Amino acid sequence: MKKNKTLLLTYYIVMDVLAAILTWVVFFIFRKYNVDSQVFDQFSTLILQDYKFWLGLCLGPIYWLTLHLFIGYYHNIYRKSRLKELGQTFGITFIGVLLFFFVFILDDIVNSPSDYIKYFFVLFGCQFLLTYIPRALMTTHINRMIHNGVIGFKTLIIGSDQIALNTYQSVVKQNIRSGNFIVGYVSLPNSEYHTISSVLPCIGGLNDLRDIIKKENIEEIIIAIHNGQRKYIEEILADRKSVV
């Protein structure tokens, strides 16, 4: 699981780096062409020998990766949706392009003030499309693997009575899987009923929860207890947060 997560995270980072590089190449050439339409006849001189071209290739990916890290994009790659990703990518791209534009582009040589508008939309359009399309494809692929049960999250059920059993059955019978691989259950103090033991092993008691989460690499917890046991919820959440 960790190996798969590392590979997927590497994919997102590599795609974002390539998006930044390709965007800079297109944008830099567009700016040169806008000033001098003969740029392709002097490509080596006007493009390849311009230090700003190479500087942008090096600093551009660092700039965008920093922004994505700042908003926590790479934090949980398994819990993404295409709609949320669309809004998130659009928002950070708009902010990133705006900052970049005002710091580096406003002193450019232009034929008319309207060139600034063209520059902005070319930079924004390239950066957004080249970033979002690979992300959307990978997110679709990951969600499909989760729904098909190929990948998932090690999950622990808190509780042992009929409520816990019903909860377990509702999870495993889902037509579209949520990705929860339930490895066992944890019993509450003085619990008299272990109905769920017919389908799941007992991994320990609530007092051992913190150690169980670490030992079993638990990623998610399902709390399945009745109203009279609500006093344990605070303790459960405290143990979960202390591990994370």
Side-chain angles (χ1 to χ4, degrees), residues 100-212:
F100 183 87
F101 193 82
F102 278 100
V103 173
F104 298 106
I105 306 301
L106 284 184
D107 61 347
D108 260 19
I109 298 175
V110 294
N111 296 320
S112 68
S114 63
D115 286 345
Y116 288 122
I117 299 177
K118 289 192 294 185
Y119 286 175
F120 180 86
F121 282 106
V122 168
L123 181 58
F124 174 80
C126 288
Q127 185 64 45
F128 173 71
L129 292 175
L130 291 173
T131 301
Y132 176 69
I133 292 175
R135 286 181 173 185
L137 293 174
M138 178 52 71
T139 298
T140 300
H141 177 63
I142 291 174
N143 288 338
R144 186 178 293 117
M145 288 194 296
I146 291 174
H147 294 159
N148 292 335
V150 177
I151 60 176
F153 321 98
K154 295 187 71 173
T155 304
L156 194 64
I157 288 184
I158 308 294
S160 60
D161 57 16
Q162 188 63 44
I163 293 177
L165 178 60
N166 293 341
T167 302
Y168 169 80
Q169 291 174 338
S170 66
V171 171
V172 298
K173 291 180 180 179
Q174 290 174 330
N175 292 327
I176 299 178
R177 301 183 186 182
S178 59
N180 294 109
F181 291 164
I182 302 177
V183 298
Y185 74 93
V186 167
S187 62
L188 298 178
N190 303 318
S191 178
E192 298 180 3
Y193 302 100
H194 288 258
T195 313
I196 199 174
S197 63
S198 61
V199 292
L200 282 178
C202 179
I203 300 182
L206 187 61
N207 294 333
D208 307 315
L209 181 59
R210 191 176 306 180
D211 294 332
I212 292 171

Side-chain angles (χ1 to χ4, degrees), residues 63-64 67 90-101 123:
Y63 172 74
W64 286 106
L67 287 179
F90 185 93
I92 195 61
T93 301
F94 183 84
I95 294 172
V97 168
L98 203 62
L99 291 173
F100 183 87
F101 193 82
L123 181 58

Side-chain angles (χ1 to χ4, degrees), residues 225-242:
I225 58 180
H226 55 74
N227 291 333
Q229 299 171 320
R230 295 291 178 180
K231 60 183 179 180
Y232 296 116
I233 292 181
E234 186 174 335
E235 180 181 345
I236 294 169
L237 295 179
D239 284 342
R240 182 72 178 98
K241 289 180 181 179
S242 68

